[in-house]
Every structure is written in structure tokens, then in C-alpha cells.
Amino acid sequence: MSKLRILYAATEINPFLQTTKVAEFLRKLPQGMQEMGMEIRIFVPRFGIINERKNRLHEVVRLSGINIAVGEEEKPLIIKVASIPNAKLQVYFIDNEDYFHRKSVLVDKNNQFHADNDERAIFFCKGVLETVKKLGWAPDIVHCNDWMTGLIPMYLKTTYKKDPIFKDSKSIFTVYNNEFAHKFEGDIIEKAKMLDIDDEMLTHLKSADFGGFIKIGMEYADSVIKSDEDFSDNLNALFNEYSQKRSIGQVAADDNLLTSYYALYNELAS
């Protein structure tokens, strides 16, 4: 049996950036899967707070230079890579001067949510898939982590479903307790659109908030996982609503974490 190929998309990863539990999870799980014989690729945004010199990021010119549409605007995609110290893992960083060069993650120095975080998420989701296409690397599983990756499962089921690179890919969406109250402005549906996507598919985004991205991810992913955290009443209500339509799994952050995910990946890919 050939090695399973797992693509991880997430908001952050240790040791480059840690603001939530996502960073720890992404540091532990891909390495564990690699040690169990799987082939791994990891994608995160290159937030400006990540020190390029210290972390030895360098641009991959052959992968850079694609333009990514966010609404009516097209923005150039820059791809950088770095290796995780003491692990045979490379991390690909999605970068763009307008979206990712400010020295902060989701909020500014006054703790105000960046107004374009929705566009940054859309750019990231589209950028990951376009880069994987350019790599010519067909993933069996695309494991999406946190709200910023929520559109990837939908793109896989629509725009990219006939693409040879993604035609057999299955997606997992893991939801974390990283809720925010900010409401996005502008026409988020127009910004998120791609080929083969009509307005109805993007209905959840009309709320223009955290829940919209989470609902889209849950709607289109082949498997939904609730992270091992305490969730707000708001999110628990969302899980209860979705559990009527589909099963929502939970993998405990214990000694069985790796074997549980190994089994889940194999089951989905079979």
C-alpha cells in the first residue's frame, strides 16, 4: 500500500507562532503521522509577527507568482518555506504583502480585529489549493484546522473536484474554541466565490462572522472533529444543530491521539 498523503492547513504551528492550541496540535500530529509512515505537507499563513531571519524562511520562486482573486481584486501569492528544527518536516508559508506583512496576527496593537481578516482567510484557502496544484502533489486527506481554513472543504467539493490533484481527496475540518465577535464588512460572498460555486452554497457566510466560516467547513468536510477544549454555549449549540445531520467526532488529546487519527485517515481514504 502506498503512503497516505496528508495535507495540513492551519492558522499557526510551533515553533514559528503560537497564540492558541492549534500551534501545539500542528506540531505534534504531522510529525507523529510522518513517523507512522505517512507523507506530509503543512501550510500556514506567514503572519508578519513570524521572524523570517530567525526561523530561516526563504521564498520558493517556482511556486510564487500566482495571482489569487479575492472579489474583484487579484493579489500576488508568495510562497516561503522553513524546516521545523529537530524534525524532518517542512512548512509552507502563504504570504502576500498587503495581507501578511503587518506585525500582528488577527488584532492590531489596540486589540482591534483587522477589518480584512475575512479576505486574509479567503486568500489563504485559495492559496493553499493553488500551491498544492503547482506542487503536483495529490493529497489523500486535507486536514483543515480552525476557522481560517473553513472554505477549503467547500472549494474541494466544487471548484477543484475535477482536478486530477484533488479528485480523490477527502477533507477533515477540526473546530477550535477560537471564537470572536467581529462582523466582517463588504460583500464576503463575492470575495469567497470561485468557479462552480453559486450564492446558495455560500449562504452561511451571510452572517459575516466566525460562525459563518465554521458552518461552511462543517457543511462540506467529509469528517468534522471538535477539538478537546471547553466550547462556548454558542458553539455548542452549533455542534448540536449539526449533529442532527452528521456525526461530529472528538479525539482526546491523550496517548491515543496519534493512533486515533491514523485510523481516521485510513478509514476516510479507503
Side-chain angles (χ1 to χ4, degrees):
M1 184 181 169
S2 62
K3 284 184 177 183
L4 272 193
R5 292 174 159 195
I6 316 292
L7 167 64
Y8 291 94
T11 40
E12 55 185 290
I13 182 172
N14 265 344
F16 305 104
L17 176 67
Q18 172 160 14
T19 64
T20 72
K21 285 191 172 181
V22 178
E24 294 167 28
F25 184 77
L26 256 284
R27 178 63 190 86
K28 183 177 182 179
L29 186 61
Q31 183 173 353
M33 291 303 103
Q34 183 170 265
E35 288 168 359
M36 292 168 93
M38 295 184 175
E39 204 176 312
I40 306 299
R41 297 285 185 278
I42 302 166
F43 282 81
V44 294
R46 206 294 290 181
F47 289 114
I49 202 169
I50 297 168
N51 186 315
E52 292 201 1
R53 185 179 295 173
K54 179 184 160 196
N55 290 297
R56 299 184 177 176
L57 271 68
H58 61 273
E59 186 179 344
V60 186
V61 177
R62 72 182 179 90
L63 294 176
S64 298
I66 306 167
N67 278 347
I68 301 291
V70 180
E72 292 180 2
E73 285 197 57
E74 290 205 346
K75 307 257 186 189
L77 171 65
I78 306 294
I79 299 297
K80 293 169 180 168
V81 296
S83 296
I84 294 177
N86 309 316
K88 293 177 182 172
L89 283 173
Q90 254 195 343
V91 178
Y92 292 81
F93 293 86
I94 297 285
D95 201 2
N96 170 267
E97 193 167 334
D98 292 341
Y99 288 142
F100 297 113
H101 280 211
R102 62 200 77 155
K103 300 289 184 192
S104 56
V105 182
L106 297 180
V107 296
D108 64 19
K109 61 179 185 290
N110 300 316
N111 211 33
Q112 295 298 306
F113 204 71
H114 291 305
D116 63 353
N117 277 337
D118 58 334
E119 294 181 19
R120 297 164 95 203
I122 291 162
F123 182 89
F124 176 67
C125 291
K126 293 179 178 181
V128 168
L129 296 172
E130 286 299 323
T131 306
V132 173
K133 263 178 74 171
K134 212 163 182 182
L135 276 171
W137 186 80
D140 297 294
I141 306 290
V142 180
H143 190 162
C144 306
N145 294 271
D146 210 8
W147 74 274
M148 245 186 145
T149 66
L151 302 183
I152 291 176
M154 179 189 66
Y155 290 149
L156 286 170
K157 288 271 200 315
T158 53
T159 311
Y160 294 91
K161 70 177 177 187
K162 292 173 187 160
D163 192 292
I165 293 291
F166 296 110
K167 67 180 175 62
D168 297 321
S169 300
K170 294 291 189 354
S171 64
I172 296 174
F173 182 50
T174 299
V175 185
Y176 296 81
N177 191 32
N178 294 333
E179 193 175 9
F180 51 78
H182 181 82
K183 289 269 190 180
F184 298 112
E185 294 174 10
D187 194 339
I188 192 168
I189 287 179
E190 281 306 311
K191 294 175 193 174
K193 267 190 180 168
M194 290 190 90
L195 284 172
D196 302 321
I197 296 174
D198 59 38
D199 288 12
E200 196 179 325
M201 294 174 184
L202 295 165
T203 303
H204 291 311
L205 287 184
K206 283 183 179 173
S207 60
D209 59 7
F210 176 84
F213 279 89
I214 297 298
K215 286 177 183 176
I216 290 262
M218 291 171 76
E219 187 87 23
Y220 287 93
D222 295 293
S223 179
V224 177
I225 303 290
K226 185 180 177 185
S227 69
D228 195 15
E229 298 173 86
D230 291 327
F231 282 85
S232 67
D233 291 346
N234 216 7
L235 274 169
N236 278 322
L238 191 61
F239 291 129
N240 291 337
E241 178 194 330
Y242 267 81
S243 63
Q244 311 301 316
K245 308 178 192 177
R246 57 176 316 159
S247 66
I248 294 172
Q250 188 159 20
V251 177
D254 59 15
D255 295 344
N256 298 320
L257 177 85
L258 299 181
T259 50
S260 298
Y261 271 105
Y262 184 84
L264 176 61
Y265 293 155
N266 277 291
E267 184 187 334
L268 268 183
S270 62

